[in-house]
Amino acid sequence: MLKELLEHRQTEILKKWFDRVVNGYKPEAARFLTGGGDRFANPVRHTLLTEFENIFSFLWGEGGDERLSTALENIIKITAVQDKTPSKALGFIFVLRDLLFEEVAADPALDAGIKQDMLVSCVHQTDSLVSLGFDIYSRCREKIYEIRIKEIKSQRAGVMARGVVVDG
Amino acid sequence: MNFITSFLLTVGLFIVGYFGSRLPFVFGLVIPYTALTLFVLGLVCRMIAWARVPVPFRIPTTCGQQRSLSWIKSNNLESPFNLLGVVGRMFLEVFFFRSLFRNTKAELYDGTRLVYGSNKFLWVGAMAFHWSFLLIVLRHFRFFTEPVLPCVLWLQDLDGLFEIAVPAFYLTNFFIVAALGYLLARRLFNPQVRYISLGSDYFALFLILAIALTGIWMRYIDKVDVVKIKELVMSLVAFAPVVPDGIGWLFFVHLFFVCVLLAYFPFSKLLHMPGVFFSPTRNLANNNRAKRHINPWNPEVKCHTYEEWEDEFRDTLKRIGLPLDKAE
Amino acid sequence: MSEEKKIKPNEILAGIDYNPPATGWMDTPVDFKKGTFCNSVPAKFMEYLGQPQPHEWKSYQDDWGLPDNWREIIFEGMRERLKKFRTFRVFMDICVRCGACADKCHFFIGSGDPKNMPVLRAELLRAVYKRDFTLAGKIMGRFVGARKLTVQGIKEWFYYFFQCTECRRCSVFCPYGIDTAEITMMGRELLNLLGLNIGWVTEPAANCFRTGNHLGIEPHAFKDSIEFACDDVFDNTGVKVEAPINRKGAEVLFVSPSADYFGTPHYYTLMGYLLLFHAVGLDYTWSAYASEGGNFGLFHSHDMMKRLNNKIYHEAKRLKVKYIIGGECGHMWRVLHQYMDTMNGPTDFLEVPVSHVTGTRFDHAASTKMIHISEFTADLIKHNKLKLDPSRNNHWNITFHDSCNPARAMGLLEEPRYIIKNVCNNFHEMPENTIREQTFCCGSGSGLGTEENMEMRLRGGLPRANAVKYVKEKHGVNCLACMCAIDKATLPPLLEYWVPGVEVAGVHEFVGNALNIEGQNERTVDLRGEPIKEQEEKKDA
């Protein structure tokens, strides 16, 4: 039931989702993200659009966790380097949850009991996104530190190699 | 805020021009001469100032293949190797805004939708504005010469090709107003551009829009006595100024706006007009390795010579068996 | 339900956590966030190079220890530069803020920070120029964009001029050719007058001045690493190559960035050079004194650039060579192509380069007498002078990243492509608006490639990585070829984050792999020592 309801409204929900997320950026950045340029000139916009759609369609089990995780990862990789707190980096999931609530609440054809069930289902789905998201976020941050340490080490390695040669 | 200030400033100028029509001597003679003097002197001084600053390095931005091996096709317009290429590159830049045109190909948006990047609009808007402006200025030469030059007449006919109204409606009038409207709207409604826009950016657009609108107003709505205006202009040109009676107030407003533009020009960003010719990333050839460029102030700097280096590392060099210039 | 309603979607920002600035850019102060700026320079390097105002300071602390007369120093510095550089003067005057450059900067695309729009970066300097150097600014103030220079403004300069990689992509799109690299260079020179610089620029410059190369490698270590490379070439190919150093009377002096003999994957490119020179019997020498082609002076000041570059001609003259070949590097070639001859020429002691194998005269280098190795190699291939087996690169599926400086300051676009197409079988271009003159920077050029700046680098490199990801998904690309030492150092971490599974390699690594040389062994491994056949099978599987 919920699945059908949401699929029916997919285009609208996706549009609202993207708009609300992008409105969290400064207006001039938001304009850039909503505006021109293909996927190469405007990669952030492209990633958000594509992966939102993927998340939406994988959410009810079509793609499996792995594909869901890839979609989330592509977005979180970006938000994780754009100096954000973890809550902000995952904020886009909460935006989706609110949207789903609004959709369910706004449907006049549903009776209260069914609505309640649907809302619970929405909470479950987005909760699973959030927990996946947290894992991915910390993986990304770990990766960044790992890369930094690797660089420090390789710089050291140069120095040490020189040291060895001096002694030899 | 910047927008409103500029708008009010333009309205203020309008009012000054309106009352100026009651002082025809000042607004018909003194101010035009002063403005023109400021324009010419200001521009000449600025260009001399630019020209006197040396170009220490030859740093063209290359946008195409360099000239290197004979069998590799080089691009003499985007990466000019000689004067001809530079002239061609500048020609495209000045007359067709080559750089602005770049990156304006139609793009497939998200795989399905075909759209044109916003820069295409910017290019079209800029072309429409600048070309219309140029043609309008040239058309005005019919006021400056007697008899009117044939090429000016020809231009006038071309511009009024579609005889929509009487007097003939000029295409450039439409284009310039539309283009200015677009450029203004872009500054206002595109947050990115609004963020970078200064008061003076709006002011330049308002000022030119005011000139265009008062001009159109005079020609089609509240007609002024063109014969008398030409009389005034010709007397100004001949340095024997006479202000005939009965020129409508609107003309003085129009003229005043033009004077403000002329006087403002050399002190503002409108300097980009002569400035583009001075831009070292565009007006130099990419032949750096073939022809030496001279820096007139090439400084003496402290370098680390081989001799100093050898002295510092002599023991090491000896130990590892590299040849030395001096044994000790 | 009621609880959820308390959460307003707009309050949970998924985007960058900026609030829309209620204030214009002039009133939005800069915030030094960890991971987005480079460490300040230790005083000892400033002192060693005889630079003004050496002092200890930290960019994230409040007090930067500016001298009392800092404002006069800046004004005097600007006055001097406005008289010396037409670029500076004209670019200060003619910008119309059309916004064509705004979304062309990789840092803006990746970060969304409005002051990363090239126009605003320049406006930071222009605001001071307007207020203190023009009549209009004195009269009309903010209306024409004039702003008083404050300590906060100096910090803003530091933050944003060390957040520009001088890649010149914006200048391709500017209708007046305004070059932000030029603006950034002026900004950095002015900051340097106050003793403000970054360690990652000044320390390599100091090293280079003393030992001849950025890494501070002394002659014995230099000799060792070149000899190591010769040994590794022998191990992997069975070919015994010679690499003479400081040899007088050779025909050619070869200069490459020092990372080539101390960094990975640069090192494999170095092995490629060695094999190539051996294969064509080039009479050449390395120099332990001019052991650096790169030039961090470019990122420091014009004077420093000249001081470091001086070694190359000085050494060519001393060794009595006929001409010079330069290795794969980006900013190195900007200096060699656009600055060297003007700064340290003329070169009447050298001859116009002529390939000893093909007889080709490189007239386009008639004055500098220095050619790019890819010009040399492309000419050899064209004349069929190299025996090549491209199948030895079959385990690579390659795309080519144009490095900013060879593309936009030189126009070296076709030579590397010609070489790659002749030594490799699998080559796929990235999309048109991300290569050639429109190429996206690695995000770490101009001295910003340091680990403390990693997050900014990852943001700035996103557009480049994104295009790589596209060809990886579409064509199965597994190797990003490039011809720049900074690229080779900074693209691997970038790709490790954004596009894991794509390696980075220099063009001459492929040349080395493909070259058939007399006396070679069976060539079962490539220059990285990886088995060729096995990898091919793995790929097929």
Side-chain angles (χ1 to χ4, degrees):
Chain A
M1 265 294 259
L2 178 61
K3 194 180 159 193
E4 282 78 53
L5 169 74
L6 295 178
E7 270 176 2
H8 179 64
R9 296 269 301 154
Q10 179 171 355
T11 324
E12 289 83 359
I13 298 176
L14 284 176
K15 190 180 176 313
K16 274 191 197 164
W17 191 11
F18 179 75
D19 286 348
R20 287 188 190 178
V21 167
V22 161
N23 280 332
Y25 285 75
K26 285 191 185 183
E28 55 285 352
R31 157 77 200 194
F32 171 63
L33 289 174
T34 49
D38 64 2
R39 58 180 293 186
F40 305 107
N42 202 339
V44 178
R45 171 184 181 280
H46 175 79
T47 308
L48 291 181
L49 278 177
T50 332
E51 303 305 354
F52 279 2
E53 201 175 330
N54 286 338
I55 291 172
F56 199 82
S57 57
F58 299 155
L59 199 50
W60 272 272
E62 277 171 26
D65 270 7
E66 203 177 303
R67 291 176 69 184
L68 197 54
S69 186
T70 312
L72 277 174
E73 190 177 337
N74 285 336
I75 297 175
I76 295 172
K77 260 188 185 172
I78 294 175
T79 56
V81 292
Q82 290 183 327
D83 56 41
K84 262 184 289 287
T85 55
S87 59
K88 299 244 158 106
L90 299 182
F92 68 95
I93 304 174
F94 297 105
V95 173
L96 173 68
R97 189 184 59 180
D98 283 10
L99 270 168
L100 297 182
F101 281 175
E102 284 170 26
E103 285 297 323
V104 173
D107 196 326
L110 301 172
D111 71 60
I114 295 178
K115 270 190 188 176
Q116 195 60 39
D117 289 349
M118 284 185 168
L119 291 178
V120 171
S121 166
C122 291
V123 172
H124 283 164
Q125 295 299 345
T126 44
D127 276 359
S128 69
L129 280 184
V130 171
S131 42
L132 262 178
F134 269 127
D135 293 349
I136 294 168
Y137 179 83
S138 28
R139 235 179 13 242
C140 288
R141 296 300 308 179
E142 266 169 36
K143 191 75 190 169
I144 295 172
Y145 288 111
E146 190 191 312
I147 291 171
R148 287 179 66 168
I149 289 166
K150 233 192 220 175
E151 267 206 5
I152 298 174
K153 273 190 186 158
S154 68
Q155 284 160 25
R156 281 264 176 79
V159 177
M160 268 157 35
R162 269 171 274 156
V164 170
V165 179
V166 175
D167 294 341
Chain B
M1 184 54 210
N2 281 335
F3 175 80
I4 295 168
T5 317
S6 302
F7 181 73
L8 292 179
L9 196 60
T10 317
V11 172
L13 291 174
F14 183 91
I15 295 168
V16 173
Y18 175 75
F19 287 108
S21 63
R22 298 182 189 171
L23 295 169
F25 180 73
V26 176
F27 280 73
L29 298 176
V30 179
I31 292 182
Y33 272 135
T34 318
L36 197 65
T37 315
L38 271 174
F39 176 74
V40 173
L41 278 183
L43 216 54
V44 168
C45 287
R46 185 58 64 123
M47 288 203 282
I48 290 174
W50 282 338
R52 282 176 61 170
V53 182
V55 182
F57 304 106
R58 194 192 282 146
I59 53 159
T61 306
T62 57
C63 301
Q65 173 62 35
Q66 65 166 351
R67 158 114 34 127
S68 57
L69 298 161
S70 57
W71 47 273
I72 292 178
K73 195 170 173 291
S74 64
N75 189 334
N76 208 23
L77 279 178
E78 302 283 24
S79 180
F81 189 76
N82 47 30
L83 186 67
L84 189 70
V86 171
V87 171
R89 187 182 202 192
M90 287 306 290
F91 179 82
L92 288 179
E93 204 64 89
V94 170
F95 288 98
F96 297 100
F97 307 164
R98 172 74 185 96
S99 295
L100 212 50
F101 186 74
R102 220 180 285 278
N103 197 31
T104 55
K105 280 183 209 96
E107 288 164 341
L108 269 184
Y109 230 29
D110 308 316
T112 48
R113 248 171 350 122
L114 187 71
V115 293
Y116 294 89
S118 53
N119 291 328
K120 182 92 164 182
F121 292 118
L122 179 57
W123 180 78
V124 170
M127 284 289 282
F129 166 66
H130 285 90
W131 275 102
S132 304
F133 200 177
L134 177 68
L135 293 182
I136 290 170
V137 169
L138 292 178
R139 238 176 41 209
H140 276 68
F141 270 81
R142 74 175 185 276
F143 293 111
F144 297 116
T145 55
E146 187 59 52
V148 179
L149 296 173
C151 53
V152 174
L153 285 172
W154 176 77
L155 199 66
Q156 207 169 310
D157 287 347
L158 189 75
D159 201 357
L161 200 58
F162 299 102
E163 294 176 10
I164 297 171
V166 179
F169 189 79
Y170 291 133
L171 292 174
T172 47
N173 289 348
F174 169 76
F175 282 129
I176 198 168
V177 174
L180 282 166
Y182 164 73
L183 293 174
L184 258 176
R186 189 173 162 276
R187 282 209 186 273
L188 261 185
F189 298 116
N190 180 335
Q192 232 164 271
V193 185
R194 186 171 60 209
Y195 198 65
I196 60 177
S197 292
L198 301 169
S200 53
D201 295 330
Y202 295 108
F203 180 62
L205 289 172
F206 276 126
L207 191 58
I208 297 171
L209 190 62
I211 294 173
L213 289 178
T214 47
I216 292 171
W217 191 354
M218 263 191 303
R219 183 169 164 86
Y220 301 107
I221 302 164
D222 190 1
K223 289 179 185 137
V224 289
D225 192 335
V226 179
V227 179
K228 285 195 175 142
I229 289 173
K230 178 144 188 178
E231 213 176 293
L232 169 67
V233 175
M234 288 304 296
S235 75
L236 285 173
V237 172
F239 290 103
V242 193
V243 185
D245 286 334
I247 299 180
W249 62 273
L250 201 49
F251 170 75
F252 283 97
V253 176
H254 184 69
L255 183 65
F256 184 58
F257 276 131
V258 173
C259 291
V260 173
L261 180 71
L262 286 176
Y264 181 62
F265 199 101
F267 306 97
S268 70
K269 68 164 193 176
L270 300 170
L271 281 171
H272 68 271
M273 191 263 268
V276 64
F277 293 95
F278 287 83
S279 180
T281 59
R282 291 288 184 272
N283 68 11
L284 292 171
N286 178 32
N287 57 359
N288 293 60
R289 280 187 287 156
K291 255 178 114 173
R292 181 160 185 256
H293 180 83
I294 306 290
N295 174 2
W297 51 265
N298 198 10
E300 283 294 322
V301 291
K302 188 180 173 308
C303 299
H304 196 63
T305 62
Y306 175 81
E307 291 70 29
E308 288 163 341
W309 181 85
E310 188 180 287
D311 284 344
E312 187 168 351
F313 295 106
R314 180 171 313 281
D315 293 341
T316 314
L317 293 170
K318 234 190 251 172
R319 180 160 58 84
I320 60 175
L322 285 186
L324 292 167
D325 276 4
K326 275 193 300 180
E328 274 316 315
Chain C
M1 194 59 209
S2 62
E3 262 200 309
E4 267 76 24
K5 276 204 165 163
K6 279 184 193 161
I7 302 168
K8 290 178 200 147
N10 286 341
E11 285 174 5
I12 306 169
L13 305 174
I16 306 177
D17 75 348
Y18 319 103
N19 298 308
T23 48
W25 63 266
M26 282 194 181
D27 307 309
T28 312
V30 57
D31 182 13
F32 281 81
K33 289 179 193 142
K34 249 194 162 170
T36 64
F37 58 87
C38 300
N39 289 343
S40 43
V41 57
K44 60 175 178 179
F45 299 116
M46 296 287 281
E47 274 157 13
Y48 179 74
L49 288 167
Q51 294 301 295
Q53 313 285 348
H55 65 290
E56 296 295 339
W57 60 286
K58 293 276 176 279
S59 36
Y60 47 83
Q61 287 169 350
D62 265 355
D63 183 10
W64 281 17
L66 300 184
D68 293 336
N69 61 339
W70 64 270
R71 201 178 263 121
E72 285 75 61
I73 294 177
I74 291 286
F75 287 161
E76 190 44 47
M78 281 182 78
R79 199 167 297 126
E80 184 192 337
R81 281 159 187 80
L82 285 165
K83 280 191 201 132
K84 281 161 104 176
F85 295 91
R86 188 181 295 169
T87 43
F88 189 29
R89 183 75 205 264
V90 171
F91 293 166
M92 285 293 105
D93 278 329
I94 64 174
C95 176
V96 299
R97 286 164 294 282
C98 71
C101 60
D103 54 1
K104 305 303 183 291
C105 174
H106 50 283
F107 282 120
F108 178 70
I109 295 175
S111 76
D113 183 345
K115 280 181 193 151
N116 273 326
M117 293 190 241
V119 45
L120 276 195
R121 206 187 302 281
E123 210 71 12
L124 297 178
L125 255 180
R126 201 173 281 125
V128 178
Y129 169 75
K130 290 258 183 65
R131 183 177 182 277
D132 297 287
F133 293 86
T134 69
L135 186 64
K138 284 193 182 100
I139 298 171
M140 291 184 280
R142 288 175 76 110
F143 187 72
V144 292
R147 181 171 72 158
K148 188 177 179 199
L149 183 62
T150 59
V151 173
Q152 191 51 235
I154 292 287
K155 294 187 175 181
E156 217 171 22
W157 281 12
F158 180 82
Y159 192 67
Y160 289 104
F161 290 137
F162 286 102
Q163 214 168 91
C164 164
T165 48
E166 304 183 353
C167 79
R168 308 179 100 204
R169 189 168 193 263
C170 48
S171 89
V172 168
F173 297 94
C174 176
Y176 317 113
I178 295 175
D179 180 7
T180 306
E182 199 69 7
I183 307 272
T184 295
M185 285 160 85
M186 295 304 151
R188 289 186 181 187
E189 284 198 8
L190 293 171
L191 287 168
N192 191 63
L193 294 177
L194 301 178
L196 306 177
N197 214 315
I198 62 171
W200 200 244
V201 164
T202 315
E203 186 181 341
N207 282 340
C208 188
F209 191 73
R210 189 174 89 90
T211 63
N213 57 69
H214 294 147
L215 301 175
I217 297 164
E218 298 189 3
H220 56 290
F222 170 75
K223 182 161 177 271
D224 279 351
S225 35
I226 298 284
E227 280 167 4
F228 278 141
C230 293
D231 291 346
D232 282 342
V233 166
F234 180 73
D235 290 347
N236 293 340
T237 66
V239 180
K240 191 118 196 68
V241 296
E242 297 279 326
I245 297 171
N246 287 11
R247 181 166 68 89
K248 283 192 179 170
E251 187 181 355
V252 173
L253 169 66
F254 181 68
V255 179
S256 81
S258 58
D260 279 359
Y261 49 87
F262 252 93
T264 314
H266 312 65
Y267 188 67
Y268 311 119
T269 307
L270 165 65
M271 289 159 74
Y273 304 150
L274 293 171
L275 272 173
L276 174 76
F277 295 157
H278 175 85
V280 297
L282 183 70
D283 173 22
Y284 81 112
T285 180
W286 292 80
S287 164
Y289 162 68
S291 49
E292 178 68 75
N295 191 327
F296 270 44
L298 175 67
F299 314 141
H300 184 284
S301 61
H302 287 87
D303 283 0
M304 193 59 65
M305 195 195 321
K306 181 172 176 182
R307 288 171 70 179
L308 301 185
N309 175 261
N310 178 270
K311 288 179 183 171
I312 297 178
Y313 279 153
H314 185 56
E315 184 70 339
K317 191 171 185 177
R318 186 184 74 90
L319 295 176
K320 300 193 172 61
V321 298
K322 288 189 182 151
Y323 70 101
I324 314 169
I325 297 181
E328 294 182 9
C329 192
H331 77 280
M332 153 177 164
W333 269 99
R334 169 130 208 242
V335 176
L336 299 178
H337 185 74
Q338 296 197 325
Y339 293 99
M340 174 164 74
D341 202 14
T342 301
M343 286 180 161
N344 291 311
T347 54
D348 36 23
F349 49 89
L350 294 172
E351 293 172 16
V352 179
V354 175
S355 170
H356 72 289
V357 186
T358 63
T360 302
R361 221 176 104 98
F362 297 94
D363 280 316
H364 68 289
S367 180
T368 56
K369 280 94 169 178
M370 182 152 187
I371 57 170
H372 193 285
I373 186 159
S374 71
E375 294 163 350
F376 179 73
T377 309
D379 174 63
L380 290 171
I381 296 176
K382 179 75 181 175
H383 289 87
N384 246 332
K385 299 294 181 192
L386 300 179
K387 293 188 199 96
L388 297 166
D389 177 3
S391 75
R392 278 205 289 269
N393 284 314
N394 277 358
H395 54 298
W396 292 126
N397 199 342
I398 296 156
T399 190
F400 181 69
H401 160 67
D402 288 276
S403 305
C404 310
N405 286 301
R408 286 186 281 261
M410 211 180 158
L412 186 88
L413 306 172
E414 292 305 332
E415 291 87 345
R417 287 181 167 77
Y418 179 80
I419 297 172
I420 291 175
K421 284 173 188 161
N422 276 283
V423 298
C424 303
N425 287 323
N426 315 310
F427 174 65
H428 299 281
E429 289 276 19
M430 283 182 277
E432 201 183 346
N433 54 348
T434 70
I435 53 167
R436 296 177 190 268
E437 78 278 4
Q438 297 194 30
T439 186
F440 275 117
C441 181
C442 62
S444 307
S446 83
L448 308 186
T450 165
E451 56 82 24
E452 70 264 16
N453 193 34
M454 185 58 79
E455 278 167 55
M456 192 42 79
R457 287 167 56 189
L458 291 176
R459 285 184 219 171
L462 170 62
R464 168 40 76 221
N466 178 61
V468 176
K469 187 164 180 243
Y470 174 77
V471 284
K472 183 191 180 219
E473 283 163 4
K474 194 169 175 201
H475 304 291
V477 161
N478 65 1
C479 185
L480 179 61
C482 57
M483 288 205 304
C484 166
I486 291 178
D487 279 336
K488 286 172 200 159
T490 66
L491 286 173
L494 184 77
L495 297 182
E496 185 178 345
Y497 185 79
W498 293 113
V499 206
V502 178
E503 299 280 323
V504 175
V507 171
H508 279 77
E509 181 182 339
F510 306 129
V511 174
N513 279 339
L515 260 181
N516 276 325
I517 302 160
E518 225 167 287
Q520 68 184 9
N521 62 19
E522 260 183 74
R523 303 292 295 265
T524 51
V525 293
D526 64 9
L527 292 182
R528 300 187 174 201
E530 308 275 344
I532 292 172
K533 277 277 149 48
E534 205 177 288
Q535 287 199 5
E536 225 176 304
E537 279 156 17
K538 223 192 288 169
K539 204 184 131 222
D540 291 342

